[in-house]
Amino acid sequence: RLLAAPEATTFPTPSISGKRRETTSPRTPRADPLGAVDKNPARLRPARRIILRTGRMPPALGGGLAGSELRPRRGRCGSQAARAVGRDARPDSAAKSPGRPALTSRRLEAVGRWATLALVTLLAFATRFRRLDQPPHICWDETHFGKMGSYYINRTFFFDVHPPLGKMLIGLAGYLSGYDGTFLFQKPGDKYEHHNYMGMRGLCAFLGSWLIPLAYLTVLDLSKSLPAALLAAALLTFDTGCLTLSQYILLDPILMFFIMAAMLSMVKYHSCSDRPFSAPWWCWLSLTGISLAGALGVKFVGLFIILQVGLNTISDLWQLFGDLSLSLVTIGKHLTARILCLIVLPLLLYVAIFAVHITVLNKSGPGDGFFSSAFQARLSGNSLHNASIPEYLAYGSIITVKNLRMAIGYLHSHRHLYPEGIGARQQQVTTYLHKDYNNLWIIKKHNTNEDPLDPSIPVEFVRHGDIIRLEHKETSRNLHSHHHEAPLTRKHYQVTGYGINGTGDSNDFWRIEVVNRKFGDRIKVLRSRIRLIHVVTGCVLGSSGKVLPRWGWEQLEVTCTPYLKETLNSIWNVEDHINPKLPNISLDVLQPSFPEILLESHMVMIRGNNGLKPKDNEFTSKPWHWPINYQGLRFSGANDTDFRVYLLGNPVVWWLNLVSLALYLLSGSAIAVALQRGAQLPAELEGLTRVLLRGGGQLLLGWMLHYFPFFLMGRVLYFHHYFPAMLFSSMLTGILWDTLLRLCAWGLASSPLAGVVHAAGILSLLLGTAYSFYLFHPLAYGMIGPLAQEPQSPMAGLKWLDSWDF
């Protein structure tokens, strides 16, 4: 339509204030929308055609990742059109006097954006670092991650279900700030006293503060709108939940920092797509890969931002493949660049993180039992490190038997009996992940009670196919099974400890078999993979991996399965081996290679993550609770004399985000359907709809990817798992309300109110968010005095939902 009347073409665009602005006719010298100034109208028209074809809009109308609209629409003439634009956009033309007001305006706009960014950043740091030293005691999960930071300082090996980068950074911050790693971090409420904890909290507050400027820059690039970016930044600055998570020794602020860094870097390198292989393009593409490695290195939920970047990369490559002006060699270069920066670089960094982790933690610690015997042999202080033990198993040996499935542990028994109604009321047999004297068993012949360690009795080795009896060293009861049902796995048989001083019955007899070995072979310690088959019932000893209730001390269930299929659950190896009648060999040959350590570490972490179950009196939640801010988490304190901190999102922010998600789905769907049906929108609305659909759609995708997967998880879930998704919903809210208010201003163009609708709406949202923060800030900074359910409490009127227990 605009090309049909080139002599009188105008470019009405909504300004930041909401008023429409018209660019003058090309008959007069003026600033071109791309920034060029030229007196020749004939040379301005080709550039204008490129604007219309490519969708490139003035700053108020947007672009960004909002697509490929920042590069010319690809086709046979794409490169020629781009060159035409380049010829028109000459600096010497821009220097002429008619263009100076436009240049000055752009400079002022850039200064304004930098000043706003500085203000946003300063406010973020001020809110996050205020009262950072309070309370001076352990709060919630500082118990775990502060302790793990201490393990790095002391170089003590431990096990955690998350990758190591976050804990390594916490340990490094503590070390650099003078913390010596001696605080025990035993339980919430323990006072730090003279120990320096501010370095570790300071790191988390520092990275948590950067979430706000990163969100600001991301929204600014997606929408090209300063008010939208400012609103998104305010929502995160004044959210009490984000503030609380940023002030303690936790992994969440570190994870969210890398997620937001990856998102901004992805948006930025897409905005450089009209300059592929330039220095900024390579820089932002590389920073995207580095941020992806950081996100995955802190928690496995970093996979969600990797998935988002991956989907965008596939879409981008597909568009490049359809550009007929590009040769296959150029497309191959694009593909190679993305493989190097988004796959190879993050993978190398991720492996390097584990290499540092394994190198630093070289001392035996509380996590040894989760790993294989060969892994433990590399840890100094472990009983297997530089150890010498008898190579072959013999009768009379004192042994520990370890299950080969990761995170199952050692065959274990203790003096406690199964409770009434749980099979036979005999001694419990379980598996236990830690080293313990109750893991020791004596291997004996099934048909004699003589002591094989008697010097007068010759050594007799245990061989494949022998029938043996395992006597528990601490209680002198035999490993036993019968036809009673197992406690949790009903189709399996119960395993117990039975007998007195080694005297029992025929249900104590087990046939030992070496997997994939011939009959008669001797059994090697650590190397032989063995199965124990019950002679009477024919079942196989194994562990289901299920956690027993409190009566079983939350250890893992041991059963005898009638299904003889070979699985890791039913395969064991002998680890510790004591027999004074046998010569010893060195275990140095057992130490695994780095790839084997890396693989085993991930198998243990994944299994441990899936096995996380809620503990008694623990405030767990369900994913549908999170967006509605249904229930928070008590970080510290329980009565009116305690310093109470309560993790809860600012309800005004969270409910505004929830309404915005619904509005976006409705408005976005309506616009998409209308465009698909061929509706012709006014030219001044095309840029706004593009920002809403493409920029907002990118943020909606991020919210969905960081929220909906939790519905599929079987592990225990907490309220803080929603906060990465909350970042995306807050940014979407900023873009949505800025766009809706601009549409309202355009619709009221003939009214005197048009000029103030947008500015008044944004200002109202900013002031309302700030005032709600003023009301609810004690949740994050600490409450002392009467509880909220008491009328005299200053928080009494703010307990809007009964489920809030602050």
Side-chain angles (χ1 to χ4, degrees), residues 677-695:
R677 294 295 299 169
Q680 297 295 320
L681 296 178
E684 54 266 35
L685 297 186
E686 291 181 0
L688 293 176
T689 57
R690 183 179 298 110
V691 168
L692 191 65
L693 292 180
R694 296 182 180 176

Side-chain angles (χ1 to χ4, degrees), residues 622-689:
K622 298 178 181 178
W624 68 266
H625 290 168
W626 303 339
I628 62 176
N629 213 23
Y630 177 76
Q631 187 179 34
L633 252 173
R634 187 179 297 139
F635 261 44
S636 176
N639 56 57
D640 58 358
T641 61
D642 289 338
F643 186 93
R644 302 189 304 278
V645 176
Y646 190 73
L647 175 66
L648 184 75
N650 183 334
V652 173
V653 172
W654 284 56
W655 294 342
L656 178 63
N657 287 347
L658 191 62
V659 170
S660 300
L661 286 168
L663 278 177
Y664 180 83
L665 291 173
L666 290 174
S667 58
S669 300
I671 293 173
V673 170
L675 292 176
Q676 189 67 17
R677 294 295 299 169
Q680 297 295 320
L681 296 178
E684 54 266 35
L685 297 186
E686 291 181 0
L688 293 176
T689 57

Side-chain angles (χ1 to χ4, degrees), residues 547-563:
V547 180
L548 294 170
R550 292 189 64 184
W551 56 257
W553 305 95
E554 297 179 348
Q555 296 172 10
L556 304 185
E557 179 191 40
V558 170
T559 69
C560 198
T561 172
Y563 310 106

Side-chain angles (χ1 to χ4, degrees), residues 731-752:
M731 291 189 289
L732 177 60
T733 299
I735 287 182
L736 175 73
W737 285 99
D738 176 69
T739 304
L740 293 181
L741 290 170
R742 289 183 188 278
L743 289 173
C744 291
W746 175 81
L748 297 173
S750 59
S751 169

